Amino acid sequence: MKLVSRLAASVAFSVACQASLVLPRQSSSTGDVGAIFGALEARALPNAPDGYTPQGGDCPSTRPTLRAAEGLSSQETSWLETRRNITLPAMEQLLNRLNISGFDASTYFSNNMGNTSMLPNIAVAVSGGGYRACLNGGGAIQAFDSREDNSTATGHLGGLLQSATYLAGLSGGGWLVGSIFVNNFTTISGLLYNNNASSVWEFQNSIFEGPATGGLQVLDSTEYFDTIYNDVQGKTVHYDTSITDYWGRALSFQLVNATDGGPDYTWSSTASEDFFTSGQSPMPILVTDGRAPGQLLISGNTTVYEFNPWEFGTFDPTTYGFVPLEFLGSNFSGGVLPPNDQCVRGFDNVGYIMGTSSSLFNTFLLNINTTSIPSAFKSVLTHLLADVGENNDDIASYTPNPFLGFHNSTSVVAQSPTLTLVDGGEDLQNIPLHPLIQPSRAVDVIFAVDSSADTTYNWPNGTSLVATYQRALNASGIANGTAFPAVPDQNSFVNLGLNTRPTFFGCNASNTSAPTPLVVYIPNAPYVYYSNVSTFDPSYNTSERNAIVANGNAVASRANATVDPTWPACVACAILSRSFDRTATPVPSVCTQCFQTYCWDGTVNSTRPAEYDPVVQLAEVDVQSSAIRTARVAAWGVASALVGVAWGLS
């Protein structure tokens, strides 16, 4: 049955690809935007010692060790002080501009500068969902970024990104976060319009074809697959590899502005970048799940790991530790390196990290069947699949396991020589909230951008929030002190229209059993374009790419307050809510009205809803006819269902 399902998925995959290619491919248009942002600079730190192949070498004078997850790392704690000096002025400026009537942000900040912990702490989380999530989430980040043209005009939200401490992503949202940071914390417009050079996000060339020639990419399809194959073969000499290695290398060609997809760029190099060390950007976090071969993940049994600039690990009691990310791949045992062992560097290749967080897409590579792909490439994928089995083709292999012998009495991975990781959304927590609700990070408000495909027509219905809420209540103790505001069931999300517009959860902090952030839920919805493209759509012409970004911008900004003129002030109220509680500040009347409008009031309606099939709310971007769009969504609905069966997910 598995084989039949895979073949059917492959056929549907090909049909859907043809449906997506109705319009001619369009070249990128640089226009004024390109002139404003200029060409992207090359990364400053391609610092892996031997390209994609990890390599042992001398250790620093203080040999790296693991630490228990009893709080934040010393590096994060130190960096937070630097970042706070940047976020507070940016936040004060933002709040003044968002204009809560009768409230003076400058006075409020001045009165509390003696104890800045009284002031807000902001995070942004971007869900998974393939290229749909990357682009829709990119629209939200574009709306939040003060560097974007006109983003600080009246009614706009530019500056929210500059005010945020953390930016988390997983799977397709991880592609977004990774692409921003690996390209020098660039803007979304910088990724879309790279002056007169090719843009980074050339998604009209699917991952099956390889990158467009020109700019930094000069390979044809055969050379592209040969390059990926040769890169990964270098790693196989001393390390286990998995399908994720090939997937991550292919991703890098689409997301990294470097020759051959930057095989020597590492995630840990972010910690040494000037824009990050000086506190000019939020802290990026990617999320992945631990999964043993054959295990079915649910939010209540899954260890949720994070990659941050300094460390890889988890606060969950099932591992409860962090390893220095730069030295991932070293032979740690019991939390230390044996005296004569070298320190390995280069294992944390940025594509491999992004690929691990999105390993559900390994099946992309397993459905390839074109003449341009070298036989050696096809053969190695076939052998890898035979080794792991079709039910485990989403696994990324981390050998040696850095947590071997660490917390032997409590860790579920302490006895395994290999740590196996999968897509961060496989436990249904498709918004990366887990790192942001850790008490040690003291986040006050999370702007949660949800591009999930929970419904028949690929719109979100709150499933991710429900999964995180249920995990927080789990009697097993997996939540380990984290708390999350109450949310309704998925049927109520749809019946009450909570998936059609932004909604605030956790407005009344006194109603929670433990401190929780206020969650500003921003679900994907059709404002100016039907952005409900399939999670498994591999390519987009330039105009459709831009339309999805524009729709994501409109969703997050409520079309720059044209849908609701009070939205900017309500965003400011959400940012300040927990701070108002701590400082015992009377809530301005504008905020009281905002909370009445946007806060979930506890109502539920769990009856089965009608099929959710919304229409565009504003003037639709002219990309392609609705008939073509409907046919495309239907074709990909079939393909997605069949691929789901092939994975054993449906």
Side-chain angles (χ1 to χ4, degrees), residues 272-469:
S272 301
E273 295 278 26
D274 289 343
F275 68 79
F276 185 73
T277 59
S278 62
Q280 297 299 318
S281 78
M283 173 176 151
I285 304 174
L286 296 195
V287 167
T288 184
D289 290 341
R291 179 168 84 80
Q295 181 185 18
L296 176 65
L297 296 188
I298 58 174
S299 62
N301 74 354
T302 304
T303 303
V304 181
Y305 293 90
E306 69 174 60
F307 296 95
N308 66 54
W310 304 281
E311 295 183 308
F312 163 69
T314 179
F315 293 94
D316 289 351
T318 44
T319 301
Y320 199 63
F322 285 87
V323 60
L325 183 60
E326 181 182 359
F327 303 111
L328 193 63
S330 302
N331 192 31
F332 290 99
S333 181
V336 299
L337 277 176
N340 295 322
D341 275 26
Q342 293 183 312
C343 284
V344 172
R345 294 174 175 85
F347 194 98
D348 64 316
N349 173 270
V350 69
Y352 189 56
I353 302 304
M354 291 189 288
T356 298
S357 182
S358 62
S359 68
L360 196 64
F361 292 86
N362 286 354
T363 298
F364 262 3
L365 295 184
L366 298 177
N367 282 305
I368 290 176
N369 187 23
T370 68
T371 57
S372 62
I373 300 174
S375 59
F377 190 95
K378 295 179 185 177
S379 176
V380 73
L381 293 182
T382 301
H383 283 103
L384 284 170
L385 182 60
D387 288 342
V388 302
E390 291 182 355
N391 287 329
N392 299 312
D393 59 23
D394 59 334
I395 281 177
S397 176
Y398 281 65
T399 306
N401 171 16
F403 303 108
L404 181 69
F406 188 70
H407 292 158
N408 280 320
S409 62
T410 56
S411 171
V412 298
V413 298
Q415 304 306 315
S416 175
T418 297
L419 180 67
T420 48
L421 303 174
V422 296
D423 190 294
E426 284 200 27
D427 63 346
L428 300 183
Q429 295 188 91
N430 200 38
I431 306 174
L433 298 164
H434 179 270
L436 308 178
I437 60 175
Q438 298 303 319
S440 55
R441 287 189 168 130
V443 171
D444 289 321
V445 57
I446 303 172
F447 289 84
V449 181
D450 192 2
S451 306
S452 303
D454 301 324
T455 68
T456 301
Y457 297 110
N458 300 329
W459 302 107
N461 68 1
T463 291
S464 181
L465 297 189
V466 172
T468 300
Y469 177 54

Side-chain angles (χ1 to χ4, degrees), residues 9 54 117 131 136 183 203 205 216 261 282 305 311 319 336 358 371 382 467 478 512 630 633 649:
S117 66
Y131 293 99
N136 181 68
N183 294 300
F203 296 154
N205 293 87
L216 292 173
Y305 293 90
E311 295 183 308
T319 301
V336 299
S358 62
T371 57
T382 301
I478 188 72
T512 60
T630 302
V633 169
L649 299 177

Side-chain angles (χ1 to χ4, degrees), residues 502-507 518-520 567 570-571 574 594-595 598-600:
T503 303
F504 300 171
F505 294 99
C507 291
L518 187 149
V519 175
V520 178
W567 176 239
C570 292
V571 167
C594 283
F595 295 150
Y598 285 102
C599 289
W600 175 55

Side-chain angles (χ1 to χ4, degrees), residues 124-339:
V124 179
V126 187
S127 82
Y131 293 99
R132 179 188 64 250
C134 179
L135 295 170
N136 181 68
I141 297 302
Q142 186 182 61
F144 296 160
D145 191 344
S146 63
R147 298 172 297 171
E148 297 280 5
D149 186 38
N150 206 38
S151 65
T152 57
T154 301
H156 297 223
L157 300 179
L160 197 155
L161 182 65
Q162 282 65 33
S163 304
T165 305
Y166 299 102
L167 175 59
L170 66 77
S171 200
W175 306 347
L176 166 65
V177 175
S179 194
I180 290 171
F181 279 83
V182 78
N183 294 300
N184 285 326
F185 188 54
T186 188
T187 63
I188 300 305
S189 292
L191 294 168
L192 295 174
Y193 311 99
N194 188 15
N195 208 348
N196 293 321
S198 297
S199 69
V200 179
W201 285 359
E202 292 287 335
F203 296 154
Q204 71 270 27
N205 293 87
S206 84
I207 213 154
F208 308 116
E209 303 170 70
T213 57
L216 292 173
Q217 311 298 356
V218 294
L219 306 179
D220 62 26
S221 290
T222 300
E223 293 171 325
Y224 161 69
F225 285 109
D226 275 339
T227 298
I228 293 172
Y229 173 80
N230 291 332
D231 283 344
V232 179
Q233 286 303 294
K235 182 179 176 181
T236 61
V237 175
H238 297 293
Y239 296 90
D240 287 348
T241 55
S242 58
I243 297 168
T244 305
D245 284 278
Y246 296 89
W247 168 241
R249 286 299 299 123
L251 266 181
S252 294
F253 279 85
Q254 294 201 323
L255 301 174
V256 180
N257 188 49
T259 302
D260 294 348
D264 48 358
Y265 289 178
T266 62
W267 189 258
S268 59
S269 70
T270 301
S272 301
E273 295 278 26
D274 289 343
F275 68 79
F276 185 73
T277 59
S278 62
Q280 297 299 318
S281 78
M283 173 176 151
I285 304 174
L286 296 195
V287 167
T288 184
D289 290 341
R291 179 168 84 80
Q295 181 185 18
L296 176 65
L297 296 188
I298 58 174
S299 62
N301 74 354
T302 304
T303 303
V304 181
Y305 293 90
E306 69 174 60
F307 296 95
N308 66 54
W310 304 281
E311 295 183 308
F312 163 69
T314 179
F315 293 94
D316 289 351
T318 44
T319 301
Y320 199 63
F322 285 87
V323 60
L325 183 60
E326 181 182 359
F327 303 111
L328 193 63
S330 302
N331 192 31
F332 290 99
S333 181
V336 299
L337 277 176

Side-chain angles (χ1 to χ4, degrees), residues 45-116:
L45 290 172
N47 64 344
D50 188 21
Y52 189 72
T53 302
Q55 188 175 82
D58 293 339
C59 292
S61 56
T62 301
R63 291 174 68 82
T65 60
L66 274 66
R67 69 174 184 89
E70 295 170 344
L72 303 181
S73 68
S74 59
Q75 298 99 320
E76 183 174 346
T77 300
S78 176
W79 175 85
L80 285 171
E81 295 180 8
T82 301
R83 178 62 178 162
R84 194 67 163 164
N85 291 330
I86 302 297
T87 60
L88 290 179
M91 197 185 314
E92 178 184 339
Q93 185 179 45
L94 172 68
L95 294 172
N96 276 324
R97 187 165 46 78
L98 298 185
N99 193 23
I100 300 174
S101 180
F103 173 77
D104 188 326
S106 294
T107 299
Y108 184 77
F109 272 57
S110 177
N111 290 342
N112 289 286
M113 286 305 290
N115 182 4
T116 58

